[in-house]
Each structure stands twice: as C-alpha cells, then as structure tokens.
Amino acid sequence: MKDYLDLLFRHFDDDKVIFCHGKKNNSPTQLGEIKQIIFSLAHFLSQQKTTSIILYCDNIYHFYIGFFSALITNKSIILPPNNTSGFFEDISNNEDIAILYFDEQRQCFCFNNKPIDLNANNLFEDKIDDCLFTSDIIFFTSGSTGKPKKIIKKFQHLVNEVNILSNFFKLDKELMVISSVHHQHLYGFIFYFLWPALIGRPIYSQRIELSEELAQLRDINHQFIFISSPALLSRLTFEEDLSKITCFSAGSLLKNEVALSLTNNLKLTVNEILGSSETGIIAWRQQLNYPLWQSFNDVRITQNEDQTLRVYADSFLEPFINTDDVIKLIKPNQFILQGRKGRIVKLEDKRLSLTELEDKLKHHPWIDDCYALKLEKSREYIGVFIVLSPSGKQQKEHLSTLAFNNTLRHFLSHWFEKILLPRSFRYGDEIPVNAQSKIDREAILQLFMG
C-alpha cells in the first residue's frame, strides 16, 4: 500500500462514493468533489508557516478532509483525544503549532479560530511525494506520571497497521464502514478512518450512539462493517439477525456474558482487538470460538519477568515496547490476558489516568489532598476521597453538598470529558494509610459502600 496516494487520488474514479451521510446531510459523497475541497484547504495550509497542526473534527467527513489536507502539505498532525479548552491550552503553547477544526455553527473550517475562505480557484498543485510517510502523527494517552502522554507515530507505521489488518481479515472492499467510536483515538483512527480510506471503502459519517440507530441501519443494509466497543455492544438488547455484519470491538475487554448475548440474540460474532496507543494493534480473538489471544502477523510477543507482555514489531520506533498487561503465554503467538498493572483505568472504553485527575484536583484551592478510584454499582464510575484545605472547609460550610461537589466537577471538566468526571465524593481529615504507610485503598473503598 506504499502507493496509496496513487490509489486514493489517481487510481480511484472521481465518481467513486467514499462517504454515505445520514438524513438532512447534503455533504459531498464522491471522491472527485471531496478532492477539490482537500486541495483547496491544502492550498491554504501550504501558505502557513506553521509546521504542526492540531486537528480536531467531531465528524469523520470533516476529519478526512482536514487530515489529508495537512498530510499532503507535510505538516505534523497532532490529534487531541477531546476538544476541552484545558487540553488545547496544555498542548498549544508553542507559536509553531496551529489549531485546525470545523466549526459546526458557522459550517466552515477554522484556522486558529479564524474562518477559512476556501476558494475553488486556489488548489494545491505541488507534487505529492513519499516524504509524507515520515510525517509525525501525534496521539495522546493517559500516562502513568499523571499527564497526557504524547505518542508519536510516523505515518508509515499507521499504513503498516492497515496492511496487516487487510492481509489478515481479507474483507470485501465495497462493504460500508459504520462506527460507534471516535476517530481521534488510535483505534477509531485506524479502523474507522485510515483502513477504509486507503482501501476505498465507503464510510458512514454519522457515528452510532444508540442501539436503535444500528437496528435502523440493519433494515436498510444487511451487510456492513461495524467498528464498536463493549460500551455500546453491551447495550444491544434487541433481537435481530446480524450474522452478515462484521463487527470489531476494542477499548476494553468484552465480558463473556455480553459475547454470549450477542451470539444468542443477534447471531453476531465479535472480533476483539487488543492493542494500545503505544503499540498499535497486538492481537485478535473471537472469544466464544477462539478464546486465546492470537498476535497479528509481523507482531512478536514475549513475557517479562513480572509476567507482563512485551511486544516487538518492525514498525516501532523502539526495539520493543513493554505493556502493563499481565499474560500467560501459551504458544509463541498465543496467550491469555490476566489483568492490568498500574493506575490507568477504562470507563465506557475511555482511558483515564487516576493520577492525572488527582494532580489536577490538588491544584484547586479547596483541596489539600485526594485519592481517586474506579467504583461499580449498576455501572462503573469514578469516586474521589478528599482532604479539604482551610478555605475548602469554609466553603463547604456555606454551600450545599450538591453545589460544592458540582463546583469540583466543573473545575475538572476543563480537562476531562463528562463521562470521566467523578460521580461520588467522600471527605476526611487525612488519606487513610496502612501499617506500611501506603494508601489503604480498601479502607477508602469502604467509605463509598454505605
């Protein structure tokens, strides 16, 4: 797929449909029309001195245009996981970095908050060459240090992943791709955006958020590729025959009872993908048919002394990457996943560093100390035990508990998406510790059980 630019911009016919839109969306669907917008935006970007672009577009159609426009002008592309103002402030403190996004209200692309006037008469005409394969594509994931961790990939590495997936699954190139996951994260970027873009599969631009939407699409089109996650798959409670749908899931493990329900009620077999932002794709399984994880071709695995997974791949910048996944190695390319080390948790398939949340909260003038943990009742959520500062104690006496807690949630929303904000708080004079002077997690947990 080294000649993907020829494939995308020259070998495909201009009347090839590469997007399907929902109702009341009249955006272009054919490659020829979309290329004109890409080359027009690329012309504008080529006139800008900045070498790095922060790209955030909620709709994959606009993301497609923005990404390829930045790529062919040899910009480094930074993909933030969300569009919170705090995150943009944290990463855009460099004059050589600009922000490119699509403004839904004004219905136009904006560059550093200024609308871009795309002139169809001004098109990018420079030669597109292989140097863009060395362009940096930068993702972010929650790091163990408490700050978002920057993950730098060369574009060639991402193309290599698409090659591996295409050779492994050998799916019909005309199947439409539908998704419930976001393309700004690596899993959605590869499976929902780059894989279909390089193959030429049509992409359904409206992200699926409700099970009813999937049922309606099934009535229109019996066969498609569905990129999803356990968060949505666990909510598919209707009964249908989805046996012709090819389904992928990643982000967290699919519970066995959910896999059974999907098979029994929907005749849906799920291809689970194991990977991370650091490693990319690692392994695959269909847990009811092939319960062992099997590594992909060109991915080699071994085990560290602490039983954690070590991954090797030719596409890595480093010789190998250590993970926090604890495994039992069965064969050279097969293993059982036995858990995860560290304080990175997943909530509705979104990765959260509890350390980062605590560090942000400790900067609030009301907080002296705190400890966050993931809890579960009817569903998973975040709880925080808090030691108040003198000013925090004063404010808590004057405000209702709801108003006090909501103030802290609002403060954290500057950096974290709504689903990751704490739902429950407990207060005390100090963080409980055990005989070894380590935080007594179990004692804190009991405070949330009442």
Side-chain angles (χ1 to χ4, degrees):
M1 210 171 293
K2 180 78 172 177
D3 60 343
Y4 94 97
L5 283 173
D6 283 333
L7 194 67
L8 185 63
F9 292 114
R10 288 185 276 275
H11 288 184
F12 287 158
D13 294 331
D14 281 355
D15 61 358
K16 182 174 180 59
V17 173
I18 59 171
F19 272 99
C20 298
H21 303 297
K23 295 178 180 178
K24 300 180 181 180
N25 187 334
N26 298 318
S27 299
T29 61
Q30 294 182 329
L31 179 60
E33 296 175 274
I34 295 171
K35 279 197 309 188
Q36 292 299 304
I37 304 173
I38 290 173
F39 289 139
S40 181
L41 180 56
H43 174 79
F44 171 86
L45 295 178
S46 68
Q47 305 303 307
Q48 312 306 313
K49 293 182 179 179
T50 181
T51 59
S52 297
I53 298 288
I54 298 173
L55 175 66
Y56 188 92
C57 297
D58 192 57
N59 187 285
I60 193 169
Y61 167 74
H62 301 124
F63 181 86
Y64 185 105
I65 292 169
F67 183 86
F68 282 120
S69 298
L71 185 71
I72 63 178
T73 52
N74 296 315
K75 307 290 188 185
S76 294
I77 303 174
I78 302 169
L79 301 179
N82 58 63
N83 62 346
T84 60
S85 57
F87 193 91
F88 279 115
E89 290 168 7
D90 287 347
I91 64 175
S92 61
N93 57 356
N94 186 322
E95 62 182 16
D96 197 36
I97 297 178
I99 300 174
L100 176 67
Y101 66 95
F102 188 85
D103 189 309
E104 295 289 348
Q105 289 186 332
R106 292 184 281 190
Q107 284 294 294
C108 66
F109 280 97
C110 293
F111 186 83
N112 284 343
N113 296 321
K114 296 180 180 178
I116 302 172
D117 182 17
L118 296 181
N119 189 332
N121 295 320
N122 293 328
L123 299 180
F124 183 77
E125 296 179 346
D126 294 2
K127 181 183 178 182
I128 302 172
D129 56 39
D130 284 351
C131 68
L132 59 79
F133 283 94
T134 62
S135 295
D136 288 338
I137 315 297
I138 300 171
F139 299 85
F140 286 86
T141 187
S142 297
S144 58
T145 62
K147 292 186 178 294
K149 182 181 178 182
K150 183 188 295 186
I151 307 295
I152 302 175
K153 306 267 187 179
K154 296 298 182 184
F155 184 62
Q156 181 64 63
H157 298 163
L158 302 170
V159 174
N160 289 347
E161 287 201 37
V162 171
N163 274 324
I164 292 170
L165 290 170
S166 296
N167 293 333
F168 189 87
F169 289 106
K170 301 185 185 302
L171 301 176
D172 186 336
K173 293 183 178 181
E174 299 304 317
L175 290 178
M176 182 169 65
V177 178
I178 294 168
S179 179
S180 67
V181 302
H182 208 288
H183 46 270
Q184 295 277 153
H185 301 269
L186 186 60
Y187 168 49
F189 178 90
I190 293 291
F191 282 76
Y192 184 29
F193 165 64
L194 194 60
W195 189 4
L198 300 192
I199 295 295
R201 287 196 186 97
I203 300 171
Y204 186 69
S205 63
Q206 184 175 323
R207 209 161 52 251
I208 302 300
E209 297 180 351
L210 302 171
S211 61
E212 293 80 5
E213 295 172 332
L214 183 65
Q216 291 168 3
L217 281 170
R218 158 63 176 74
D219 292 337
I220 299 171
N221 189 340
H222 287 251
Q223 194 170 6
F224 53 82
I225 299 169
F226 184 40
I227 312 304
S228 193
S229 68
L232 183 80
L233 294 175
S234 63
R235 296 197 287 266
L236 299 184
T237 55
F238 57 89
E239 292 191 11
E240 278 277 5
D241 182 357
L242 303 184
S243 57
K244 292 186 178 180
I245 294 175
T246 301
C247 180
F248 293 95
S249 176
S252 61
L253 297 180
L254 189 69
K255 294 181 179 178
N256 184 258
E257 58 266 29
V258 175
L260 284 169
S261 174
L262 294 172
T263 298
N264 294 335
N265 298 329
L266 300 174
K267 299 180 181 177
L268 182 65
T269 299
V270 179
N271 297 286
E272 289 184 81
I273 305 297
L274 179 68
S276 69
S277 299
E278 294 87 348
T279 63
I281 55 173
I282 298 173
W284 160 93
R285 74 171 181 178
Q286 291 178 353
Q287 64 171 277
L288 300 182
N289 299 323
Y290 314 104
L292 297 178
W293 289 98
Q294 176 181 319
S295 61
F296 285 106
N297 300 335
D298 300 328
V299 175
R300 302 177 300 283
I301 58 173
T302 60
Q303 198 171 21
N304 292 313
E305 290 184 2
D306 62 357
Q307 311 304 306
T308 53
L309 176 66
R310 174 179 286 191
V311 185
Y312 302 79
D314 293 337
S315 61
F316 291 172
L317 291 174
E318 306 88 352
F320 60 85
I321 295 177
N322 288 318
T323 76
D324 289 328
D325 294 312
V326 180
I327 66 165
K328 181 179 180 181
L329 197 61
I330 305 301
K331 292 182 179 179
N333 66 337
Q334 293 183 339
F335 59 93
I336 298 172
L337 202 57
Q338 295 186 314
R340 187 171 178 84
K341 290 192 170 184
R343 297 199 67 225
I344 305 297
V345 299
K346 285 191 175 178
L347 207 67
E348 292 282 340
D349 304 318
K350 294 184 180 295
R351 203 175 178 197
L352 170 69
S353 165
L354 296 176
T355 305
E356 181 192 6
L357 188 144
E358 291 163 357
D359 287 347
K360 296 295 187 188
L361 200 51
K362 288 174 187 176
H363 281 88
H364 195 285
W366 297 354
I367 309 299
D368 261 352
D369 204 357
C370 61
Y371 182 83
L373 66 172
K374 186 170 79 168
L375 304 166
E376 184 173 2
K377 286 186 179 177
S378 58
R379 65 193 312 177
E380 293 175 332
Y381 64 100
I382 300 301
V384 184
F385 179 88
I386 289 175
V387 178
L388 293 173
S389 66
S391 63
K393 291 176 181 177
Q394 275 188 335
Q395 290 295 326
K396 198 169 188 300
E397 289 179 1
H398 291 95
L399 295 174
S400 69
T401 299
L402 179 62
F404 190 91
N405 292 347
N406 282 343
T407 300
L408 297 179
R409 287 193 190 95
H410 179 73
F411 174 77
L412 289 171
S413 70
H414 197 57
W415 296 277
F416 302 98
E417 296 173 75
K418 185 176 180 180
I419 189 66
L420 301 178
L421 298 177
R423 282 180 50 197
S424 186
F425 296 85
R426 296 292 185 270
Y427 298 90
D429 293 329
E430 60 183 11
I431 302 287
V433 295
N434 59 22
Q436 289 78 40
S437 297
K438 295 183 178 180
I439 292 176
D440 192 339
R441 186 183 184 280
E442 288 303 313
I444 296 173
L445 185 62
Q446 290 303 312
L447 298 173
F448 289 87
M449 295 297 102

